Amino acid sequence: MIKPIRKLINWARIKSPWIIHFNTGACNACDIEIVAALTPVYDLERFGALQKGTPRHADVLLCSGPVTRNLKDRLNRIYDQMPEPKFVVAVGTCACSGGVFDGCYNMLSGIDEMIPVDAYIPGCPASPDAIIDGVTKLLKAHEAKEEKALKEKSK
Ligand code: SF4
């Protein structure tokens, strides 16, 4: 891809990440915190983030909860439907490691057992400010990586 176009696409992606949220088996408390992060009190939208209803339009997948056996296939399908580059954020201790549900007969552990995870936000539940911090830091890290790759390509 031509350098200025790639730069422009990266800039747009960082300035306006489109987000999809999926509960893989959370108790709902982490979901309430995600909703709080997205709605006006904490307002993740001030960073340009926009919640989407389909994985085909999303850059960032926010997952809450450990992965239950019956949601494993759906999680994989959602991840596969997202366009590259895609980012996965595990929200809450359960999503990071299985948390209090680890070892239960109907659970398969944390998100990273199924799909690659780019950022982990622990907490039971994870707080809205930690979620915003995690998403913005993840995008900054991606921006730095892309800039480095562009610089190396132009050498
Ligand atoms: S981390 Fe805590 S609040 Fe979040 S899904 Fe697990 S038990 Fe619920």
Side-chain angles (χ1 to χ4, degrees):
M1 195 185 298
I2 305 164
K3 193 177 162 186
I5 295 175
R6 192 168 158 185
K7 262 187 129 169
L8 182 66
I9 291 171
N10 280 332
W11 175 84
R13 184 171 289 121
I14 303 302
K15 299 298 174 199
S16 182
W18 289 6
I19 289 176
I20 187 159
H21 164 217
F22 185 53
N23 176 340
T24 56
C27 72
N28 269 355
C30 280
D31 305 293
I32 290 167
E33 302 301 325
I34 290 173
V35 171
L38 289 164
T39 47
V41 174
Y42 288 92
D43 200 11
L44 187 55
E45 281 193 17
R46 72 197 137 110
F47 299 105
L50 188 66
Q51 192 173 15
K52 300 305 290 181
T54 167
R56 293 175 203 278
H57 297 165
D59 305 301
V60 180
L61 172 61
L62 294 183
C63 284
S64 55
V67 184
T68 59
R69 289 185 191 281
N70 64 340
L71 285 177
K72 178 185 143 219
D73 293 341
R74 192 160 298 175
L75 173 64
N76 285 325
R77 207 176 326 139
I78 287 172
Y79 181 76
D80 290 343
Q81 286 175 347
M82 291 172 69
E84 292 283 355
K86 51 192 165 189
F87 308 97
V88 178
V89 180
V91 179
T93 304
C94 291
C96 295
S97 65
V100 291
F101 299 108
D102 199 31
C104 287
Y105 71 96
N106 53 343
M107 299 293 175
L108 295 166
S109 198
I111 306 291
D112 61 4
E113 298 277 326
M114 312 297 141
I115 55 174
V117 172
D118 301 284
Y120 296 84
I121 304 172
C124 183
S127 64
D129 40 357
I131 296 168
I132 292 173
D133 192 43
V135 172
T136 50
K137 276 185 181 153
L138 170 70
L139 293 169
K140 279 274 166 211
H142 173 69
E143 188 179 29
K145 197 172 130 196
E146 277 294 323
E147 274 174 17
K148 196 176 163 202
L150 278 174
K151 265 185 199 158
E152 274 171 15
K153 222 175 175 187
S154 60
K155 276 181 191 172

